[in-house]
Amino acid sequence: LKDAVQWYRSTPECRPLAGGTDLMVMLHAGTFRPRPRPRAILDVWSIPELKGVRRTQGMLEIGAAESYTGIIRSRDAQEHVPALVAAARTIGAAQIQNRGTLGGNLANASPAGDTLPVLLAYDAVVVSDRRSIPIDQFFTGYRKTALQPDELIVAVRIPLGRRVVFRKVGTRAAQAISKVVMAVSRSPARAAIGSVAEVPLRAARAEAALARHDDAGAVNALADDIRPIDDVRSTASYRRAVAQNILRELLDALPRS
Ligand SMILES: Cc1cc2nc3c(=O)[nH]c(=O)nc-3n(C[C@H](O)[C@H](O)[C@H](O)COP(=O)(O)OP(=O)(O)OC[C@H]3O[C@@H](n4cnc5c(N)ncnc54)[C@H](O)[C@@H]3O)c2cc1C
């Protein structure tokens, strides 16, 4: 890891490659977000410090290059972050789950990234080679993050003891990009949503209503928290209706404490 960090810092226009399930698509298509075509690739897939799921300091720590399959199979992840396991199960199909990583989903920063609302609902912390970034400060704009150009994600830390539920709606149950993806917690009040704005976001008005135990108010308020658009996958009005339906459904699944 030390060598990789050093190499990344000293090599201009370099991009890390983890599972490659986003980056290889970009390399083939010639479309590079959020930065231009790289002149060098740093393969981080096999760096041992970036692998594994472990408990540390009252948190669950997941290595940035741990695959979705590794997360799905981890006993600790199943026990402590079942909503993240549920999200990992919906990503692509087996091949993508074997290669895709949490670090890649974060750095790619797609508004439709399926783990991102879950990480927001858990108040995860993104640990890089130089600092810790609270997840609600990580997404700074469309496909933009708080990462510096030479900053490597090392791990994600998730506080223990929170009940979060997850739901994704796509064109079909598997191999689908989200039209709406959501993760919700009652305590603390969190309603995090993807595919309804330029960034994965926390629905502030809905969360305020949830904190007052006003479920109906939260569902109504959600309409003002999101900024869905019409695109190839769906329409703004469909996304708005589905987002409110999912929030209602997830709240019904979460017992009041
Ligand atoms: C067929 C298919 C289906 C898919 N289905 C889904 C889906 O259902 N849901 C979903 O959310 N996504 C989906 N994806 C997108 C992709 O699989 C995920 O975003 C995945 O998490 C990317 O991880 P990766 O390790 O493959 O990233 P890579 O492709 O290796 O990298 C992605 C980006 O992250 C950067 N990066 C990687 N690791 C680090 C690091 N440690 N530090 C800093 N930057 C880093 C890379 O430089 C690159 O910019 C799909 C992709 C394909 C091809």
Side-chain angles (χ1 to χ4, degrees):
L1 176 61
K2 207 170 141 229
D3 289 348
V5 168
Q6 172 89 21
W7 205 82
Y8 192 30
R9 284 187 187 184
S10 58
T11 309
E13 296 171 59
C14 176
R15 282 284 276 276
L17 174 111
T21 61
D22 279 317
L23 192 57
M24 291 307 291
V25 175
M26 289 186 244
L27 285 168
H28 281 292
T31 51
F32 294 94
R33 292 201 195 99
R35 289 149 50 194
R37 176 178 274 277
R39 297 169 70 99
I41 296 287
L42 172 66
D43 185 350
V44 300
W45 174 255
S46 303
I47 297 176
E49 294 94 328
L50 268 52
K51 294 289 191 189
V53 179
R54 56 205 154 253
R55 287 185 60 169
T56 168
Q57 298 164 18
M59 303 230 184
L60 194 71
E61 182 176 277
I62 302 177
E66 183 55 60
S67 70
Y68 294 119
T69 299
I71 294 169
I72 291 165
R73 289 186 181 159
S74 157
R75 288 269 163 86
D76 276 329
Q78 290 165 15
E79 183 182 346
H80 297 292
V81 290
L84 184 62
V85 172
R89 285 186 197 282
T90 72
I91 292 183
Q95 297 93 330
I96 297 296
Q97 290 169 12
N98 284 341
R99 290 290 303 189
T101 67
L102 216 45
N105 211 221
L106 278 162
N108 194 53
S110 162
D114 285 321
T115 69
L116 309 179
V118 181
L119 297 177
L120 281 162
Y122 278 119
D123 286 312
V125 174
V126 181
V127 181
S128 81
D129 59 82
R130 65 199 68 170
R131 60 184 170 148
S132 296
I133 309 170
I135 187 79
D136 60 358
Q137 295 167 26
F138 188 77
F139 305 105
T140 55
Y142 178 65
R143 307 287 297 264
K144 291 198 178 122
T145 72
L147 291 174
Q148 297 297 311
D150 63 350
E151 188 169 6
L152 205 59
I153 304 173
V154 173
V156 176
R157 288 194 182 145
I158 304 174
L160 301 178
R162 187 173 301 187
R163 174 118 193 250
V164 173
V165 284
F166 165 84
R167 177 81 200 273
K168 162 178 174 175
V169 171
T171 304
R172 53 190 176 232
Q175 279 287 29
I177 297 178
S178 295
K179 294 171 192 264
V180 178
V181 54
M182 191 181 300
V184 174
S185 146
R186 274 198 191 277
S187 177
R190 295 284 181 270
I193 318 184
S195 288
V196 292
E198 67 285 0
V199 288
L201 55 78
R202 276 181 45 197
R205 294 175 185 83
E207 288 185 356
L210 268 187
R212 298 190 303 270
H213 308 291
D214 177 6
D215 287 12
V219 172
N220 284 335
L222 185 69
D224 293 326
D225 284 321
I226 60 180
R227 305 178 284 279
I229 55 167
D230 293 341
D231 65 13
V232 286
R233 278 180 221 123
S234 193
T235 63
S237 66
Y238 178 85
R239 287 183 159 118
R240 201 174 284 283
V242 168
Q244 289 182 297
N245 289 345
I246 297 180
L247 179 57
R248 196 177 294 113
E249 180 189 298
L250 290 180
L251 288 174
D252 286 347
L254 270 177
R256 291 172 192 270
S257 49

